[in-house]
């Protein structure tokens, strides 16, 4: 019973530090009203951390290995990070595809509706692609009172991708030239489409790496769990000593480092941007 209480205390302390770190990281983020579903989703991290504490404490109590308990608690806590790379890349590519769709929409409005660029952008905000609808709506509002270049630079910051910089720069060129706007926007949309196609091809290769990382992680997890639960006592007894726990900690640290490395191989590299909005330009 004493070991169980000690495990709960130790893991709870680690959970508390993690919660404080996450809270400090999010202090500067703007607050926003949450829907009922949004509030329910906010409970997921707390539930995950609680499950991590429970799993870690249970493993510690059953096996008598504190290192194993802490390792499994950490694995449960960081599981969403380990599996989120594909979702993040898909979301980013989806936003770029929406950007291409929006550029074609603006081009069509200029070509068929005899609208100017500013009017076409404002009109396009009514049926903007959902993935970037907020950014397009905000851009339309800014264009009512902001200088065009400043509004486009801020729009590029919100897209936060090199492709968004290309689109913003192209729109600035279209605004400056005035003539041939529809053709220039169509060419810009084709350029964005080519970039998205390249990103998708690269994402296929990264998906293979992520699959390899998941398979290795499952194999390692099954191996360690099976070794701990059904392994002969002659092999597992050594890990009940302080020296055995140190060795186990070193092995699990190497495994964790390998998993993190494989996960980072599956990450999309950061997009090198070339436009930045200057505060004094607003």
């Amino acid at each position: 019973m004493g070991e169980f209480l000690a495990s709960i205390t130790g893991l709870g302390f680690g959970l508390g530090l993690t919660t404080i770190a996450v809270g400090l990281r999010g202090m500067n983020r703007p607050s926003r009203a949450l829907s009922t579903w949004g509030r329910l989703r906010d409970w997921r991290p707390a539930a995950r951390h609680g499950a991590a504490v429970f799993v870690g404490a249970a493993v510690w109590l059953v096996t008598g290995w504190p290192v194993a308990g802490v390792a499994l608690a950490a694995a449960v806590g960081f599981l969403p990070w380990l599996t989120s790379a594909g979702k993040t890349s898909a979301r980013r590519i989806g936003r770029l595809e929406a950007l291409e769709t929006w550029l074609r929409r603006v081009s069509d409005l200029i070509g068929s509706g005899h609208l100017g660029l500013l009017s076409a952008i404002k009109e396009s905000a009514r049926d903007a692609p959902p993935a970037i609808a907020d950014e397009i709506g905000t851009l339309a509002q800014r264009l009512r009172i902001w200088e065009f270049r400043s509004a486009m630079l801020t729009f590029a910051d919100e897209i936060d991708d090199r492709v968004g910089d290309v689109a913003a720069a192209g729109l600035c060129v279209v605004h400056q030239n005035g003539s041939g706007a529809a053709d220039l926007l169509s060419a810009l949309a084709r350029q964005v489409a080519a970039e998205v196609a390249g990103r998708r091809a690269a994402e296929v290769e990264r998906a293979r790496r992520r699959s390899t990382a998941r398979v290795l992680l499952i194999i390692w997890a099954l191996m360690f769990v099976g070794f701990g639960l059904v392994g002969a006592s002659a092999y597992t007894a050594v890990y009940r000593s302080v020296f055995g726990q140190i060795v186990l900690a070193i092995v699990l640290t190497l495994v964790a480092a390998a998993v993190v490395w494989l996960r980072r191989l599956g990450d999309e590299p950061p997009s090198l941007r070339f436009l930045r909005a200057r505060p004094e330009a607003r």
Side-chain angles (χ1 to χ4, degrees):
M1 187 65 182
E3 290 183 356
F4 180 73
L5 292 177
S7 65
I8 290 291
T9 302
L11 291 172
F13 179 73
L15 174 61
L17 291 179
T18 303
T19 304
I20 292 173
V22 172
L24 291 175
R25 182 181 177 184
M27 285 178 63
N28 295 327
R29 295 183 179 179
S31 60
R32 58 182 179 180
L34 294 176
S35 62
T36 302
W37 174 243
R39 287 193 294 269
L40 290 175
R41 290 185 64 183
D42 275 359
W43 281 98
R44 292 181 180 181
R48 186 174 66 251
H49 293 156
V53 172
F54 177 79
V55 170
V59 171
W60 190 339
L61 180 64
V62 171
T63 64
W65 298 356
V67 171
V70 172
L72 283 180
V76 173
F78 284 95
L79 187 61
W81 177 80
L82 292 172
T83 59
S84 64
K87 296 178 181 178
T88 301
S89 297
R91 189 182 307 114
R92 181 176 297 178
I93 292 175
R95 283 169 60 83
L96 298 183
E97 288 181 329
L99 182 62
E100 176 204 348
T101 301
W102 175 69
L103 289 173
R104 295 188 186 278
R105 170 64 174 161
V106 175
S107 176
D108 292 341
L109 287 172
I110 294 175
S112 60
H114 305 290
L115 298 175
L117 179 60
L118 290 175
S119 299
I121 291 176
K122 295 173 185 177
E123 179 69 21
S124 69
R126 298 182 179 180
D127 58 349
I132 57 171
D134 291 341
E135 289 81 355
I136 299 299
T138 303
L139 173 63
Q141 293 298 322
R142 287 182 180 135
L143 288 175
R144 300 179 188 277
I145 55 176
W146 285 26
E147 177 190 5
F148 187 87
R149 179 177 178 275
S150 300
M152 293 311 305
L153 287 176
T154 306
F155 173 72
D157 277 351
E158 292 172 346
I159 298 298
D160 194 23
D161 193 280
R162 181 171 58 85
V163 176
D165 291 353
V166 171
L171 286 167
C172 288
V173 172
V174 170
H175 180 259
Q176 185 175 2
N177 290 342
S179 60
D183 293 336
L184 287 172
L185 286 175
S186 295
L188 186 60
R190 289 193 296 270
Q191 183 178 354
V192 173
E195 179 72 21
V196 171
R199 297 270 185 102
R200 284 204 174 278
E203 180 61 19
V204 171
E205 179 61 29
R206 284 192 291 268
R208 294 194 188 99
R209 297 174 182 174
R210 288 194 293 268
S211 297
T212 301
R214 284 193 292 268
V215 170
L216 289 176
L217 181 60
I218 292 173
I219 292 174
W220 286 334
L222 292 176
M223 181 182 67
F224 281 114
V225 170
F227 183 70
L229 294 180
V230 302
S233 59
Y235 294 103
T236 59
V238 65
Y239 290 104
R240 298 184 181 275
S241 65
V242 174
F243 177 76
Q245 287 295 293
I246 293 175
V247 172
L248 183 61
I250 294 173
V251 172
L252 291 178
T253 299
L254 293 175
V255 170
V259 170
V260 170
W261 177 66
L262 286 172
R263 197 274 190 189
R264 290 193 180 279
L265 286 178
D267 279 344
E268 182 179 359
S271 182
L272 299 178
R273 297 186 52 204
F274 59 90
L275 290 182
R276 292 288 180 183
R278 295 177 301 174
E280 64 269 19
R282 300 185 185 183

Short mmCIF file of all heavy atoms in Angstrom, two decimals, residues 56-104:
data_model
loop_
_atom_site.label_atom_id
_atom_site.label_comp_id
_atom_site.label_asym_id
_atom_site.label_seq_id
_atom_site.Cartn_x
_atom_site.Cartn_y
_atom_site.Cartn_z
N GLY A 56 0.28 4.44 -14.90
CA GLY A 56 1.61 4.39 -14.30
C GLY A 56 1.60 3.83 -12.90
O GLY A 56 2.45 3.01 -12.52
N ALA A 57 0.63 4.28 -12.11
CA ALA A 57 0.53 3.78 -10.74
C ALA A 57 0.22 2.30 -10.71
O ALA A 57 0.78 1.54 -9.89
CB ALA A 57 -0.53 4.57 -9.99
N ALA A 58 -0.68 1.84 -11.60
CA ALA A 58 -1.03 0.42 -11.63
C ALA A 58 0.16 -0.44 -12.02
O ALA A 58 0.42 -1.49 -11.40
CB ALA A 58 -2.19 0.21 -12.60
N VAL A 59 0.92 0.00 -13.03
CA VAL A 59 2.09 -0.77 -13.45
C VAL A 59 3.14 -0.79 -12.34
O VAL A 59 3.76 -1.83 -12.07
CB VAL A 59 2.67 -0.17 -14.74
CG1 VAL A 59 4.01 -0.80 -15.08
CG2 VAL A 59 1.69 -0.38 -15.90
N TRP A 60 3.33 0.33 -11.69
CA TRP A 60 4.28 0.39 -10.58
C TRP A 60 3.88 -0.57 -9.47
O TRP A 60 4.71 -1.28 -8.90
CB TRP A 60 4.33 1.83 -10.08
CG TRP A 60 5.44 2.12 -9.09
CD1 TRP A 60 6.12 1.23 -8.31
CD2 TRP A 60 5.98 3.40 -8.78
NE1 TRP A 60 7.05 1.86 -7.54
CE2 TRP A 60 6.99 3.20 -7.81
CE3 TRP A 60 5.71 4.69 -9.23
CZ2 TRP A 60 7.72 4.27 -7.27
CZ3 TRP A 60 6.43 5.74 -8.69
CH2 TRP A 60 7.44 5.53 -7.73
N LEU A 61 2.57 -0.57 -9.15
CA LEU A 61 2.09 -1.43 -8.06
C LEU A 61 2.20 -2.90 -8.42
O LEU A 61 2.61 -3.72 -7.60
CB LEU A 61 0.64 -1.07 -7.75
CG LEU A 61 -0.04 -1.88 -6.63
CD1 LEU A 61 0.66 -1.61 -5.30
CD2 LEU A 61 -1.52 -1.52 -6.53
N VAL A 62 1.85 -3.27 -9.67
CA VAL A 62 1.84 -4.69 -10.06
C VAL A 62 3.26 -5.23 -10.22
O VAL A 62 3.57 -6.33 -9.75
CB VAL A 62 1.04 -4.86 -11.36
CG1 VAL A 62 1.20 -6.29 -11.89
CG2 VAL A 62 -0.44 -4.56 -11.12
N THR A 63 4.11 -4.46 -10.89
CA THR A 63 5.45 -4.96 -11.18
C THR A 63 6.48 -4.63 -10.10
O THR A 63 7.50 -5.30 -10.00
CB THR A 63 5.96 -4.37 -12.51
OG1 THR A 63 6.09 -2.94 -12.38
CG2 THR A 63 4.99 -4.69 -13.64
N GLY A 64 6.21 -3.58 -9.34
CA GLY A 64 7.21 -3.12 -8.38
C GLY A 64 8.36 -2.37 -9.04
O GLY A 64 9.39 -2.16 -8.39
N TRP A 65 8.17 -1.97 -10.30
CA TRP A 65 9.21 -1.26 -11.04
C TRP A 65 8.79 0.21 -11.20
O TRP A 65 7.96 0.53 -12.07
CB TRP A 65 9.42 -1.86 -12.43
CG TRP A 65 9.89 -3.28 -12.43
CD1 TRP A 65 10.21 -4.04 -11.35
CD2 TRP A 65 10.08 -4.11 -13.58
NE1 TRP A 65 10.59 -5.30 -11.74
CE2 TRP A 65 10.53 -5.36 -13.12
CE3 TRP A 65 9.92 -3.92 -14.94
CZ2 TRP A 65 10.82 -6.41 -13.97
CZ3 TRP A 65 10.21 -4.95 -15.80
CH2 TRP A 65 10.65 -6.19 -15.33
N PRO A 66 9.30 1.11 -10.44
CA PRO A 66 8.91 2.53 -10.57
C PRO A 66 9.25 3.11 -11.94
O PRO A 66 8.50 3.93 -12.47
CB PRO A 66 9.69 3.22 -9.45
CG PRO A 66 10.78 2.28 -9.09
CD PRO A 66 10.27 0.92 -9.34
N VAL A 67 10.36 2.70 -12.51
CA VAL A 67 10.76 3.22 -13.82
C VAL A 67 9.73 2.83 -14.89
O VAL A 67 9.38 3.63 -15.76
CB VAL A 67 12.16 2.73 -14.20
CG1 VAL A 67 12.49 3.08 -15.65
CG2 VAL A 67 13.20 3.32 -13.26
N ALA A 68 9.25 1.58 -14.82
CA ALA A 68 8.25 1.13 -15.78
C ALA A 68 6.96 1.93 -15.64
O ALA A 68 6.33 2.31 -16.63
CB ALA A 68 7.97 -0.35 -15.61
N GLY A 69 6.56 2.21 -14.40
CA GLY A 69 5.36 3.00 -14.18
C GLY A 69 5.47 4.40 -14.74
O GLY A 69 4.57 4.89 -15.42
N VAL A 70 6.60 5.05 -14.46
CA VAL A 70 6.81 6.40 -14.97
C VAL A 70 6.87 6.40 -16.49
O VAL A 70 6.32 7.29 -17.17
CB VAL A 70 8.09 7.00 -14.37
CG1 VAL A 70 8.43 8.34 -15.03
CG2 VAL A 70 7.93 7.19 -12.86
N ALA A 71 7.53 5.38 -17.07
CA ALA A 71 7.67 5.31 -18.53
C ALA A 71 6.31 5.15 -19.20
O ALA A 71 6.02 5.82 -20.20
CB ALA A 71 8.59 4.15 -18.91
N LEU A 72 5.46 4.26 -18.68
CA LEU A 72 4.15 4.07 -19.29
C LEU A 72 3.26 5.28 -19.09
O LEU A 72 2.46 5.64 -19.96
CB LEU A 72 3.49 2.82 -18.72
CG LEU A 72 4.02 1.50 -19.28
CD1 LEU A 72 3.30 0.32 -18.64
CD2 LEU A 72 3.85 1.44 -20.79
N ALA A 73 3.38 5.93 -17.92
CA ALA A 73 2.62 7.16 -17.71
C ALA A 73 3.02 8.23 -18.73
O ALA A 73 2.17 8.93 -19.30
CB ALA A 73 2.83 7.68 -16.29
N ALA A 74 4.31 8.36 -18.97
CA ALA A 74 4.79 9.33 -19.97
C ALA A 74 4.32 8.95 -21.37
O ALA A 74 3.95 9.82 -22.17
CB ALA A 74 6.31 9.41 -19.93
N ALA A 75 4.31 7.64 -21.67
CA ALA A 75 3.88 7.19 -22.99
C ALA A 75 2.41 7.54 -23.23
O ALA A 75 2.03 8.00 -24.31
CB ALA A 75 4.10 5.69 -23.13
N VAL A 76 1.57 7.33 -22.22
CA VAL A 76 0.15 7.67 -22.35
C VAL A 76 -0.03 9.17 -22.50
O VAL A 76 -0.83 9.65 -23.32
CB VAL A 76 -0.64 7.14 -21.14
CG1 VAL A 76 -2.08 7.65 -21.18
CG2 VAL A 76 -0.62 5.62 -21.11
N GLY A 77 0.74 9.95 -21.73
CA GLY A 77 0.62 11.40 -21.80
C GLY A 77 1.03 11.99 -23.13
O GLY A 77 0.44 12.95 -23.61
N PHE A 78 2.06 11.39 -23.75
CA PHE A 78 2.58 11.93 -25.00
C PHE A 78 2.04 11.20 -26.23
O PHE A 78 2.49 11.48 -27.34
CB PHE A 78 4.11 11.86 -25.01
CG PHE A 78 4.75 12.91 -24.16
CD1 PHE A 78 5.13 12.63 -22.86
CD2 PHE A 78 4.97 14.18 -24.66
CE1 PHE A 78 5.72 13.60 -22.07
CE2 PHE A 78 5.57 15.16 -23.90
CZ PHE A 78 5.94 14.87 -22.59
N LEU A 79 1.09 10.28 -26.03
CA LEU A 79 0.56 9.52 -27.17
C LEU A 79 -0.06 10.43 -28.24
O LEU A 79 0.18 10.21 -29.43
CB LEU A 79 -0.47 8.51 -26.67
CG LEU A 79 -1.00 7.52 -27.71
CD1 LEU A 79 0.15 6.67 -28.26
CD2 LEU A 79 -2.08 6.62 -27.11
N PRO A 80 -0.85 11.46 -27.88
CA PRO A 80 -1.39 12.33 -28.94
C PRO A 80 -0.30 13.02 -29.75
O PRO A 80 -0.44 13.20 -30.97
CB PRO A 80 -2.24 13.35 -28.17
CG PRO A 80 -2.60 12.64 -26.91
CD PRO A 80 -1.41 11.79 -26.57
N TRP A 81 0.80 13.43 -29.10
CA TRP A 81 1.89 14.06 -29.83
C TRP A 81 2.53 13.07 -30.80
O TRP A 81 2.88 13.43 -31.92
CB TRP A 81 2.93 14.59 -28.86
CG TRP A 81 4.12 15.20 -29.55
CD1 TRP A 81 4.22 16.44 -30.08
CD2 TRP A 81 5.39 14.58 -29.77
NE1 TRP A 81 5.46 16.65 -30.63
CE2 TRP A 81 6.20 15.51 -30.46
CE3 TRP A 81 5.93 13.33 -29.46
CZ2 TRP A 81 7.52 15.24 -30.83
CZ3 TRP A 81 7.23 13.05 -29.84
CH2 TRP A 81 8.01 14.00 -30.52
N LEU A 82 2.65 11.82 -30.37
CA LEU A 82 3.27 10.81 -31.22
C LEU A 82 2.42 10.51 -32.45
O LEU A 82 2.94 10.11 -33.49
CB LEU A 82 3.50 9.52 -30.44
CG LEU A 82 4.55 9.57 -29.32
CD1 LEU A 82 4.53 8.28 -28.51
CD2 LEU A 82 5.93 9.81 -29.90
N THR A 83 1.11 10.70 -32.35
CA THR A 83 0.21 10.32 -33.45
C THR A 83 -0.37 11.53 -34.19
O THR A 83 -1.22 11.36 -35.06
CB THR A 83 -0.95 9.48 -32.90
OG1 THR A 83 -1.67 10.24 -31.91
CG2 THR A 83 -0.45 8.20 -32.28
N SER A 84 0.08 12.74 -33.86
CA SER A 84 -0.55 13.94 -34.42
C SER A 84 0.13 14.47 -35.67
O SER A 84 -0.39 15.40 -36.31
CB SER A 84 -0.58 15.05 -33.37
OG SER A 84 0.75 15.46 -33.03
N ALA A 85 1.28 13.93 -36.04
CA ALA A 85 2.02 14.50 -37.16
C ALA A 85 1.21 14.42 -38.46
O ALA A 85 1.15 15.39 -39.22
CB ALA A 85 3.35 13.77 -37.34
N GLY A 86 0.59 13.30 -38.72
CA GLY A 86 -0.18 13.15 -39.95
C GLY A 86 -1.36 14.09 -40.00
O GLY A 86 -1.68 14.67 -41.05
N LYS A 87 -2.05 14.27 -38.86
CA LYS A 87 -3.20 15.17 -38.82
C LYS A 87 -2.76 16.61 -39.07
O LYS A 87 -3.44 17.37 -39.77
CB LYS A 87 -3.90 15.06 -37.47
CG LYS A 87 -4.51 13.68 -37.20
CD LYS A 87 -5.15 13.63 -35.84
CE LYS A 87 -5.72 12.25 -35.55
NZ LYS A 87 -6.32 12.17 -34.20
N THR A 88 -1.63 17.00 -38.49
CA THR A 88 -1.13 18.36 -38.68
C THR A 88 -0.80 18.63 -40.13
O THR A 88 -1.16 19.67 -40.69
CB THR A 88 0.10 18.60 -37.79
OG1 THR A 88 -0.25 18.38 -36.42
CG2 THR A 88 0.62 20.02 -37.95
N SER A 89 -0.10 17.69 -40.77
CA SER A 89 0.25 17.86 -42.17
C SER A 89 -0.98 17.89 -43.06
O SER A 89 -1.08 18.70 -43.99
CB SER A 89 1.18 16.73 -42.62
OG SER A 89 2.40 16.76 -41.91
N ALA A 90 -1.96 17.01 -42.78
CA ALA A 90 -3.19 16.99 -43.58
C ALA A 90 -3.95 18.30 -43.43
O ALA A 90 -4.52 18.82 -44.41
CB ALA A 90 -4.06 15.81 -43.16
N ARG A 91 -3.97 18.84 -42.22
CA ARG A 91 -4.66 20.11 -42.00
C ARG A 91 -3.98 21.24 -42.77
O ARG A 91 -4.64 22.09 -43.38
CB ARG A 91 -4.70 20.43 -40.51
CG ARG A 91 -5.58 21.61 -40.14
CD ARG A 91 -5.53 21.89 -38.65
NE ARG A 91 -5.84 20.71 -37.88
CZ ARG A 91 -4.98 20.09 -37.08
NH1 ARG A 91 -3.73 20.54 -36.98
NH2 ARG A 91 -5.34 19.03 -36.39
N ARG A 92 -2.64 21.25 -42.77
CA ARG A 92 -1.91 22.30 -43.47
C ARG A 92 -2.13 22.20 -44.98
O ARG A 92 -2.35 23.21 -45.65
CB ARG A 92 -0.43 22.20 -43.14
CG ARG A 92 0.42 23.28 -43.80
CD ARG A 92 1.86 23.18 -43.35
NE ARG A 92 1.99 23.41 -41.92
CZ ARG A 92 3.15 23.34 -41.27
NH1 ARG A 92 4.26 23.02 -41.92
NH2 ARG A 92 3.18 23.57 -39.98
N ILE A 93 -2.07 20.99 -45.51
CA ILE A 93 -2.30 20.82 -46.95
C ILE A 93 -3.73 21.20 -47.31
O ILE A 93 -3.99 21.80 -48.36
CB ILE A 93 -1.99 19.37 -47.36
CG1 ILE A 93 -0.48 19.10 -47.24
CG2 ILE A 93 -2.46 19.10 -48.78
CD1 ILE A 93 -0.10 17.68 -47.51
N GLY A 94 -4.67 20.86 -46.43
CA GLY A 94 -6.06 21.24 -46.68
C GLY A 94 -6.24 22.75 -46.74
O GLY A 94 -7.03 23.27 -47.55
N ARG A 95 -5.51 23.48 -45.90
CA ARG A 95 -5.59 24.94 -45.93
C ARG A 95 -5.01 25.50 -47.24
O ARG A 95 -5.54 26.47 -47.80
CB ARG A 95 -4.85 25.51 -44.73
CG ARG A 95 -5.63 25.40 -43.43
CD ARG A 95 -4.77 25.73 -42.22
NE ARG A 95 -4.23 27.08 -42.27
CZ ARG A 95 -4.88 28.19 -41.88
NH1 ARG A 95 -6.13 28.08 -41.44
NH2 ARG A 95 -4.30 29.37 -41.93
N LEU A 96 -3.94 24.87 -47.72
CA LEU A 96 -3.35 25.34 -48.97
C LEU A 96 -4.27 25.03 -50.16
O LEU A 96 -4.36 25.84 -51.10
CB LEU A 96 -1.98 24.69 -49.18
CG LEU A 96 -0.92 25.03 -48.12
CD1 LEU A 96 0.41 24.39 -48.47
CD2 LEU A 96 -0.77 26.53 -47.95
N GLU A 97 -4.93 23.89 -50.14
CA GLU A 97 -5.90 23.59 -51.19
C GLU A 97 -7.06 24.59 -51.16
O GLU A 97 -7.57 25.01 -52.20
CB GLU A 97 -6.42 22.16 -51.03
CG GLU A 97 -5.41 21.10 -51.40
CD GLU A 97 -5.97 19.71 -51.25
OE1 GLU A 97 -6.84 19.52 -50.37
OE2 GLU A 97 -5.56 18.82 -52.00
N ALA A 98 -7.46 24.96 -49.95
CA ALA A 98 -8.52 25.97 -49.82
C ALA A 98 -8.05 27.31 -50.37
O ALA A 98 -8.84 28.05 -50.98
CB ALA A 98 -8.93 26.10 -48.36
N LEU A 99 -6.78 27.63 -50.16
CA LEU A 99 -6.22 28.87 -50.70
C LEU A 99 -6.27 28.86 -52.24
O LEU A 99 -6.62 29.87 -52.87
CB LEU A 99 -4.79 29.04 -50.22
CG LEU A 99 -4.05 30.31 -50.65
CD1 LEU A 99 -4.75 31.55 -50.11
CD2 LEU A 99 -2.60 30.26 -50.17
N GLU A 100 -5.93 27.72 -52.83
CA GLU A 100 -6.02 27.60 -54.29
C GLU A 100 -7.45 27.80 -54.78
O GLU A 100 -7.71 28.54 -55.74
CB GLU A 100 -5.52 26.23 -54.73
CG GLU A 100 -5.66 25.97 -56.22
CD GLU A 100 -5.73 24.50 -56.56
OE1 GLU A 100 -5.43 23.67 -55.68
OE2 GLU A 100 -6.09 24.18 -57.70
N THR A 101 -8.40 27.16 -54.09
CA THR A 101 -9.82 27.30 -54.46
C THR A 101 -10.26 28.75 -54.36
O THR A 101 -11.00 29.26 -55.23
CB THR A 101 -10.68 26.41 -53.55
OG1 THR A 101 -10.27 25.05 -53.68
CG2 THR A 101 -12.15 26.53 -53.91
N TRP A 102 -9.82 29.42 -53.32
CA TRP A 102 -10.21 30.82 -53.13
C TRP A 102 -9.63 31.72 -54.23
O TRP A 102 -10.33 32.60 -54.74
CB TRP A 102 -9.75 31.30 -51.76
CG TRP A 102 -10.00 32.76 -51.53
CD1 TRP A 102 -11.20 33.38 -51.38
CD2 TRP A 102 -9.00 33.78 -51.44
NE1 TRP A 102 -11.02 34.72 -51.20
CE2 TRP A 102 -9.68 35.01 -51.22
CE3 TRP A 102 -7.61 33.78 -51.49
CZ2 TRP A 102 -9.01 36.21 -51.08
CZ3 TRP A 102 -6.93 34.98 -51.34
CH2 TRP A 102 -7.63 36.18 -51.14
N LEU A 103 -8.39 31.49 -54.61
CA LEU A 103 -7.79 32.29 -55.68
C LEU A 103 -8.54 32.11 -56.99
O LEU A 103 -8.76 33.07 -57.74
CB LEU A 103 -6.32 31.90 -55.85
CG LEU A 103 -5.36 32.33 -54.74
CD1 LEU A 103 -3.98 31.72 -54.95
CD2 LEU A 103 -5.26 33.85 -54.66
N ARG A 104 -8.94 30.87 -57.28
CA ARG A 104 -9.72 30.64 -58.50
C ARG A 104 -11.08 31.33 -58.40
O ARG A 104 -11.61 31.84 -59.40
CB ARG A 104 -9.89 29.14 -58.73
CG ARG A 104 -8.59 28.41 -59.01
CD ARG A 104 -8.84 26.97 -59.43
NE ARG A 104 -7.59 26.24 -59.56
CZ ARG A 104 -6.80 26.29 -60.64
NH1 ARG A 104 -7.17 27.04 -61.68
NH2 ARG A 104 -5.68 25.58 -60.70
#
